PDB file of all heavy atoms in Angstrom:
ATOM      1  N   ALA A 103     134.191 172.891  98.021  1.00  0.00           N
ATOM      2  CA  ALA A 103     134.964 171.664  97.813  1.00  0.00           C
ATOM      3  C   ALA A 103     134.730 171.061  96.451  1.00  0.00           C
ATOM      4  O   ALA A 103     135.603 170.387  95.816  1.00  0.00           O
ATOM      5  CB  ALA A 103     134.716 170.607  98.891  1.00  0.00           C
ATOM      6  N   GLY A 104     133.533 171.344  95.874  1.00  0.00           N
ATOM      7  CA  GLY A 104     133.238 170.800  94.581  1.00  0.00           C
ATOM      8  C   GLY A 104     133.683 171.688  93.416  1.00  0.00           C
ATOM      9  O   GLY A 104     133.437 171.381  92.206  1.00  0.00           O
ATOM     10  N   ASP A 105     134.385 172.785  93.728  1.00  0.00           N
ATOM     11  CA  ASP A 105     134.900 173.691  92.667  1.00  0.00           C
ATOM     12  C   ASP A 105     135.876 172.913  91.835  1.00  0.00           C
ATOM     13  O   ASP A 105     136.918 172.334  92.317  1.00  0.00           O
ATOM     14  CB  ASP A 105     135.600 174.855  93.371  1.00  0.00           C
ATOM     15  CG  ASP A 105     136.149 175.858  92.412  1.00  0.00           C
ATOM     16  OD1 ASP A 105     136.185 175.561  91.189  1.00  0.00           O
ATOM     17  OD2 ASP A 105     136.522 176.986  92.813  1.00  0.00           O
ATOM     18  N   PRO A 106     135.661 172.869  90.500  1.00  0.00           N
ATOM     19  CA  PRO A 106     136.622 172.114  89.618  1.00  0.00           C
ATOM     20  C   PRO A 106     138.056 172.563  89.757  1.00  0.00           C
ATOM     21  O   PRO A 106     138.925 171.727  89.564  1.00  0.00           O
ATOM     22  CB  PRO A 106     136.040 172.401  88.208  1.00  0.00           C
ATOM     23  CG  PRO A 106     134.566 172.669  88.446  1.00  0.00           C
ATOM     24  CD  PRO A 106     134.500 173.411  89.772  1.00  0.00           C
ATOM     25  N   ASP A 107     138.278 173.868  90.009  1.00  0.00           N
ATOM     26  CA  ASP A 107     139.650 174.344  90.195  1.00  0.00           C
ATOM     27  C   ASP A 107     140.364 173.691  91.399  1.00  0.00           C
ATOM     28  O   ASP A 107     141.473 173.274  91.295  1.00  0.00           O
ATOM     29  CB  ASP A 107     139.699 175.845  90.324  1.00  0.00           C
ATOM     30  CG  ASP A 107     139.366 176.555  89.026  1.00  0.00           C
ATOM     31  OD1 ASP A 107     139.509 175.938  87.942  1.00  0.00           O
ATOM     32  OD2 ASP A 107     139.000 177.743  89.042  1.00  0.00           O
ATOM     33  N   LEU A 108     139.610 173.592  92.545  1.00  0.00           N
ATOM     34  CA  LEU A 108     140.243 173.003  93.731  1.00  0.00           C
ATOM     35  C   LEU A 108     140.374 171.472  93.555  1.00  0.00           C
ATOM     36  O   LEU A 108     141.381 170.905  93.951  1.00  0.00           O
ATOM     37  CB  LEU A 108     139.307 173.244  94.954  1.00  0.00           C
ATOM     38  CG  LEU A 108     139.297 174.691  95.503  1.00  0.00           C
ATOM     39  CD1 LEU A 108     138.507 174.780  96.725  1.00  0.00           C
ATOM     40  CD2 LEU A 108     140.741 175.201  95.760  1.00  0.00           C
ATOM     41  N   LEU A 109     139.394 170.870  92.883  1.00  0.00           N
ATOM     42  CA  LEU A 109     139.497 169.445  92.596  1.00  0.00           C
ATOM     43  C   LEU A 109     140.737 169.161  91.694  1.00  0.00           C
ATOM     44  O   LEU A 109     141.405 168.159  91.966  1.00  0.00           O
ATOM     45  CB  LEU A 109     138.192 168.935  91.924  1.00  0.00           C
ATOM     46  CG  LEU A 109     136.976 168.914  92.785  1.00  0.00           C
ATOM     47  CD1 LEU A 109     135.770 168.635  91.916  1.00  0.00           C
ATOM     48  CD2 LEU A 109     137.100 167.919  93.880  1.00  0.00           C
ATOM     49  N   ARG A 110     140.938 170.033  90.763  1.00  0.00           N
ATOM     50  CA  ARG A 110     142.120 169.834  89.856  1.00  0.00           C
ATOM     51  C   ARG A 110     143.408 170.011  90.656  1.00  0.00           C
ATOM     52  O   ARG A 110     144.376 169.220  90.457  1.00  0.00           O
ATOM     53  CB  ARG A 110     142.021 170.854  88.723  1.00  0.00           C
ATOM     54  CG  ARG A 110     143.179 170.698  87.686  1.00  0.00           C
ATOM     55  CD  ARG A 110     142.868 171.442  86.461  1.00  0.00           C
ATOM     56  NE  ARG A 110     142.646 172.865  86.695  1.00  0.00           N
ATOM     57  CZ  ARG A 110     141.502 173.502  86.523  1.00  0.00           C
ATOM     58  NH1 ARG A 110     140.401 172.863  86.037  1.00  0.00           N
ATOM     59  NH2 ARG A 110     141.364 174.806  86.758  1.00  0.00           N
ATOM     60  N   TRP A 111     143.494 170.944  91.544  1.00  0.00           N
ATOM     61  CA  TRP A 111     144.691 171.125  92.322  1.00  0.00           C
ATOM     62  C   TRP A 111     145.013 169.904  93.231  1.00  0.00           C
ATOM     63  O   TRP A 111     146.075 169.421  93.262  1.00  0.00           O
ATOM     64  CB  TRP A 111     144.584 172.372  93.192  1.00  0.00           C
ATOM     65  CG  TRP A 111     145.704 172.493  94.255  1.00  0.00           C
ATOM     66  CD1 TRP A 111     145.565 172.395  95.570  1.00  0.00           C
ATOM     67  CD2 TRP A 111     147.089 172.672  93.998  1.00  0.00           C
ATOM     68  NE1 TRP A 111     146.804 172.583  96.199  1.00  0.00           N
ATOM     69  CE2 TRP A 111     147.786 172.749  95.245  1.00  0.00           C
ATOM     70  CE3 TRP A 111     147.843 172.852  92.775  1.00  0.00           C
ATOM     71  CZ2 TRP A 111     149.131 172.893  95.344  1.00  0.00           C
ATOM     72  CZ3 TRP A 111     149.245 173.014  92.959  1.00  0.00           C
ATOM     73  CH2 TRP A 111     149.865 173.035  94.208  1.00  0.00           C
ATOM     74  N   VAL A 112     143.985 169.449  93.902  1.00  0.00           N
ATOM     75  CA  VAL A 112     144.186 168.252  94.843  1.00  0.00           C
ATOM     76  C   VAL A 112     144.570 167.078  94.007  1.00  0.00           C
ATOM     77  O   VAL A 112     145.479 166.273  94.349  1.00  0.00           O
ATOM     78  CB  VAL A 112     142.856 168.033  95.602  1.00  0.00           C
ATOM     79  CG1 VAL A 112     143.009 166.679  96.373  1.00  0.00           C
ATOM     80  CG2 VAL A 112     142.581 169.177  96.613  1.00  0.00           C
ATOM     81  N   HIS A 113     143.887 166.909  92.845  1.00  0.00           N
ATOM     82  CA  HIS A 113     144.208 165.716  92.019  1.00  0.00           C
ATOM     83  C   HIS A 113     145.671 165.818  91.495  1.00  0.00           C
ATOM     84  O   HIS A 113     146.407 164.826  91.582  1.00  0.00           O
ATOM     85  CB  HIS A 113     143.249 165.685  90.796  1.00  0.00           C
ATOM     86  CG  HIS A 113     143.714 164.745  89.743  1.00  0.00           C
ATOM     87  ND1 HIS A 113     143.462 163.324  89.815  1.00  0.00           N
ATOM     88  CD2 HIS A 113     144.300 164.926  88.558  1.00  0.00           C
ATOM     89  CE1 HIS A 113     143.964 162.838  88.753  1.00  0.00           C
ATOM     90  NE2 HIS A 113     144.496 163.737  87.955  1.00  0.00           N
ATOM     91  N   VAL A 114     146.052 166.927  90.918  1.00  0.00           N
ATOM     92  CA  VAL A 114     147.377 167.022  90.315  1.00  0.00           C
ATOM     93  C   VAL A 114     148.483 166.859  91.408  1.00  0.00           C
ATOM     94  O   VAL A 114     149.496 166.202  91.106  1.00  0.00           O
ATOM     95  CB  VAL A 114     147.517 168.372  89.595  1.00  0.00           C
ATOM     96  CG1 VAL A 114     149.001 168.644  89.161  1.00  0.00           C
ATOM     97  CG2 VAL A 114     146.637 168.384  88.367  1.00  0.00           C
ATOM     98  N   THR A 115     148.333 167.515  92.526  1.00  0.00           N
ATOM     99  CA  THR A 115     149.360 167.325  93.596  1.00  0.00           C
ATOM    100  C   THR A 115     149.486 165.827  94.003  1.00  0.00           C
ATOM    101  O   THR A 115     150.588 165.393  94.219  1.00  0.00           O
ATOM    102  CB  THR A 115     149.060 168.224  94.766  1.00  0.00           C
ATOM    103  OG1 THR A 115     147.753 167.978  95.253  1.00  0.00           O
ATOM    104  CG2 THR A 115     149.250 169.661  94.455  1.00  0.00           C
ATOM    105  N   GLU A 116     148.327 165.179  94.104  1.00  0.00           N
ATOM    106  CA  GLU A 116     148.339 163.811  94.537  1.00  0.00           C
ATOM    107  C   GLU A 116     149.010 162.924  93.527  1.00  0.00           C
ATOM    108  O   GLU A 116     149.971 162.205  93.837  1.00  0.00           O
ATOM    109  CB  GLU A 116     146.853 163.369  94.777  1.00  0.00           C
ATOM    110  CG  GLU A 116     146.729 161.965  95.256  1.00  0.00           C
ATOM    111  CD  GLU A 116     145.250 161.639  95.489  1.00  0.00           C
ATOM    112  OE1 GLU A 116     144.752 161.935  96.600  1.00  0.00           O
ATOM    113  OE2 GLU A 116     144.641 161.056  94.527  1.00  0.00           O
ATOM    114  N   VAL A 117     148.521 162.956  92.270  1.00  0.00           N
ATOM    115  CA  VAL A 117     149.055 161.955  91.262  1.00  0.00           C
ATOM    116  C   VAL A 117     150.498 162.282  90.881  1.00  0.00           C
ATOM    117  O   VAL A 117     151.279 161.391  90.651  1.00  0.00           O
ATOM    118  CB  VAL A 117     148.140 161.908  90.008  1.00  0.00           C
ATOM    119  CG1 VAL A 117     146.753 161.453  90.411  1.00  0.00           C
ATOM    120  CG2 VAL A 117     148.081 163.301  89.260  1.00  0.00           C
ATOM    121  N   SER A 118     150.849 163.585  90.825  1.00  0.00           N
ATOM    122  CA  SER A 118     152.258 163.909  90.529  1.00  0.00           C
ATOM    123  C   SER A 118     153.193 163.506  91.654  1.00  0.00           C
ATOM    124  O   SER A 118     154.294 163.086  91.394  1.00  0.00           O
ATOM    125  CB  SER A 118     152.409 165.402  90.196  1.00  0.00           C
ATOM    126  OG  SER A 118     152.039 166.169  91.340  1.00  0.00           O
ATOM    127  N   SER A 119     152.731 163.670  92.899  1.00  0.00           N
ATOM    128  CA  SER A 119     153.601 163.261  94.039  1.00  0.00           C
ATOM    129  C   SER A 119     153.793 161.713  94.050  1.00  0.00           C
ATOM    130  O   SER A 119     154.864 161.247  94.344  1.00  0.00           O
ATOM    131  CB  SER A 119     153.005 163.731  95.320  1.00  0.00           C
ATOM    132  OG  SER A 119     152.961 165.128  95.350  1.00  0.00           O
ATOM    133  N   PHE A 120     152.757 160.947  93.710  1.00  0.00           N
ATOM    134  CA  PHE A 120     152.853 159.529  93.656  1.00  0.00           C
ATOM    135  C   PHE A 120     153.968 159.197  92.622  1.00  0.00           C
ATOM    136  O   PHE A 120     154.877 158.391  92.857  1.00  0.00           O
ATOM    137  CB  PHE A 120     151.548 158.877  93.205  1.00  0.00           C
ATOM    138  CG  PHE A 120     150.489 158.834  94.247  1.00  0.00           C
ATOM    139  CD1 PHE A 120     149.160 158.958  93.932  1.00  0.00           C
ATOM    140  CD2 PHE A 120     150.839 158.583  95.621  1.00  0.00           C
ATOM    141  CE1 PHE A 120     148.197 158.933  94.944  1.00  0.00           C
ATOM    142  CE2 PHE A 120     149.822 158.504  96.571  1.00  0.00           C
ATOM    143  CZ  PHE A 120     148.513 158.698  96.207  1.00  0.00           C
ATOM    144  N   LEU A 121     153.789 159.747  91.387  1.00  0.00           N
ATOM    145  CA  LEU A 121     154.708 159.401  90.299  1.00  0.00           C
ATOM    146  C   LEU A 121     156.129 159.838  90.633  1.00  0.00           C
ATOM    147  O   LEU A 121     157.107 159.042  90.384  1.00  0.00           O
ATOM    148  CB  LEU A 121     154.191 160.095  88.995  1.00  0.00           C
ATOM    149  CG  LEU A 121     155.061 159.844  87.772  1.00  0.00           C
ATOM    150  CD1 LEU A 121     155.108 158.379  87.407  1.00  0.00           C
ATOM    151  CD2 LEU A 121     154.583 160.709  86.625  1.00  0.00           C
ATOM    152  N   GLU A 122     156.312 161.050  91.115  1.00  0.00           N
ATOM    153  CA  GLU A 122     157.644 161.533  91.383  1.00  0.00           C
ATOM    154  C   GLU A 122     158.342 160.625  92.434  1.00  0.00           C
ATOM    155  O   GLU A 122     159.542 160.274  92.296  1.00  0.00           O
ATOM    156  CB  GLU A 122     157.575 163.012  91.932  1.00  0.00           C
ATOM    157  CG  GLU A 122     158.861 163.560  92.468  1.00  0.00           C
ATOM    158  CD  GLU A 122     159.886 163.759  91.370  1.00  0.00           C
ATOM    159  OE1 GLU A 122     159.529 163.701  90.170  1.00  0.00           O
ATOM    160  OE2 GLU A 122     161.057 164.024  91.714  1.00  0.00           O
ATOM    161  N   ALA A 123     157.592 160.250  93.504  1.00  0.00           N
ATOM    162  CA  ALA A 123     158.267 159.383  94.529  1.00  0.00           C
ATOM    163  C   ALA A 123     158.662 158.027  93.976  1.00  0.00           C
ATOM    164  O   ALA A 123     159.739 157.537  94.206  1.00  0.00           O
ATOM    165  CB  ALA A 123     157.293 159.261  95.689  1.00  0.00           C
TER     166      ALA A 123
END
Side-chain angles (χ1 to χ4, degrees):
D105 182 347
D107 288 341
L108 288 184
L109 292 171
R110 184 167 55 246
W111 169 249
V112 172
H113 168 80
V114 169
T115 53
E116 184 179 273
V117 299
S118 63
S119 296
F120 286 144
L121 179 63
E122 173 68 12

